[in-house]
Amino acid sequence: MIRVLEARFVTSATNLNQCPKPTLPEIAFAGRSNVGKSSMINTLCARKKLVRVSNTPGRTRLLNFFDVDLEVDKKKRTLRLCDLPGYGYAKASKAERDQWQGMISEYLTRRPVLVAVVAIVDGEVGPLDSDRQLLAFLSQASPQILVAATKLDRVPKSKRALQAQRVAEGLDVPAEAVVGFSAVEKLGVDAVWDRLVGATLRHP
Ligand code: GDP
């Protein structure tokens, strides 16, 4: 049983040197702009405005860090979440895309405490080429990838399992790597925490 006790903003960084001292197991969240990443982090942390839910995609070009105190089997454990800047918004120039790739790639390959990356895709729309590109990019460096198919409240309940399977097939990952999520219905919160805490426990 996992319960969120508290969540707080730590700092923002534009490069590895500005990241907080690597003292806690870290989970990064990645996804296209507007995919529902801020809403997912807020929902996981049971907070409405920990991360700003924005309708102007692509504004934030920072790594944002949050610490979350959890109660896991009656013991307190703190994890650090890193909200990676959303990518792939329509107006991004090539220079901006290169900058995004450079920053994320440095973070993914050189952050010693990084345990897993949550790759968020739109569960209603299904996987897009840009999601496949993200997965390919992440899988070069990430220790472990969990795919969250969010906005599943927009899919009828009877079709959700099939839709999650479609996401797995479209991204060429095993079905177990995909967790269904919805910020609106708070669907998948326990499942995601279970997987993330499990990953941190397995990590040396
Ligand atoms: P971000 O740019 O990836 O951080 O995405 P946001 O969290 O800001 O969400 C983008 C839009 O999708 C907002 O209008 C949200 O209200 C909406 N949204 C986010 N998550 C969900 C969800 O689980 N279900 C539904 N129906 N809408 C969502």
Side-chain angles (χ1 to χ4, degrees), residues 24 27 54 62 83 100 109 120 125 131 172 177 187-188 201 203:
L24 290 169
I27 312 285
S54 132
L62 299 167
D83 180 15
W100 184 92
T109 52
I120 306 164
V125 175
D131 297 321
D172 203 15
L187 171 80
L201 293 176
H203 202 256

Side-chain angles (χ1 to χ4, degrees), residues 11-110:
T11 191
S12 297
T14 55
N15 60 48
L16 203 62
N17 294 334
Q18 292 174 355
C19 292
K21 269 195 198 152
T23 51
L24 290 169
E26 203 159 285
I27 312 285
F29 289 76
R32 280 184 288 113
S33 297
N34 234 22
V35 77
K37 179 160 56 67
S38 310
S39 303
M40 182 176 180
I41 297 173
N42 286 335
T43 302
L44 285 174
C45 295
R47 286 272 299 271
K48 286 208 172 73
K49 290 184 188 161
L50 185 68
V51 188
R52 198 170 58 94
V53 177
S54 132
N55 287 316
T56 49
R59 279 276 179 77
T60 43
R61 315 305 293 156
L62 299 167
L63 305 171
N64 291 308
F65 293 89
F66 304 90
D67 283 357
V68 189
D69 298 331
L70 299 169
E71 188 187 86
V72 183
D73 297 332
K74 307 222 165 106
K75 281 194 215 103
K76 185 176 149 189
R77 287 180 61 88
T78 305
L79 302 189
R80 185 163 283 156
L81 310 186
C82 175
D83 180 15
L84 301 175
Y87 72 97
Y89 60 105
K91 289 189 186 128
S93 65
K94 182 173 183 303
E96 282 172 302
R97 279 191 202 125
D98 287 351
Q99 198 233 342
W100 184 92
Q101 281 222 351
M103 175 165 83
I104 307 300
S105 165
E106 185 190 39
Y107 169 82
L108 293 174
T109 52
R110 297 188 32 214

